[in-house]
Each structure stands twice: as C-alpha cells, then as structure tokens.
Amino acid sequence: RRLAPPPITETVVVLARTGAAVPLRRAADSIEQDVPGPDGASGWDRLVLTRGAIDMTEEVLGYGPAVYVEAPQALRDHVVERLRGALT
C-alpha cells in the first residue's frame, strides 16, 4: 500500500525545433514531425509527453527558443511569466 498520493501528471505538448531537445524527445509518448512552428515556418516537431507540467518549467526554459509550449496553458503561462520576470 502506498502512503503518498499518486503523482499528478498531465499531457504536455511542446514544439521543438528539428534536432533540438533530445531528452524531451526520448521521453515523448509521441512525436509528429515537420509541423508549422510558432514562427509559421516548418522545421518543428510536436512532442507529446505525460509529465508533471509545472515541474517542467525549468526544463523548458533550459532549451531557450528551441522549444515552445502549446499545452497545458498553465505551463505556458508559467514559462511566459518567468521569461517576463527575467526582463525586468
């Protein structure tokens, strides 16, 4: 019997530039290749992961402009908030 509550996980969807974010790619449940990115250009891949979303903030920030969060919105908001904080 487990005393701790089960870990909270959710589906996380990120876009990664082709060839970037290898650790995320290894952990991905699925990868859709050559999708349009946030810049409207191809050369991005959509990675779907099952993870604790907020715990991924630091990891996503570590990839810089090579990774873009599509979902969940809470993770996206947290990443944007951290980036804005870095500018002030």
Side-chain angles (χ1 to χ4, degrees), residues 14-60:
V14 298
L15 297 179
R17 290 199 182 271
T18 302
V22 173
L24 287 179
R25 291 172 184 282
R26 288 186 183 138
D29 299 324
S30 67
I31 300 173
E32 181 183 353
Q33 296 181 327
D34 201 30
V35 300
D39 57 2
S42 58
W44 293 81
D45 299 330
R46 180 172 287 113
L47 305 134
V48 179
L49 304 101
T50 304
R51 303 275 289 272
I54 295 301
D55 295 341
M56 285 192 66
T57 301
E58 293 294 327
E59 186 174 2
V60 167

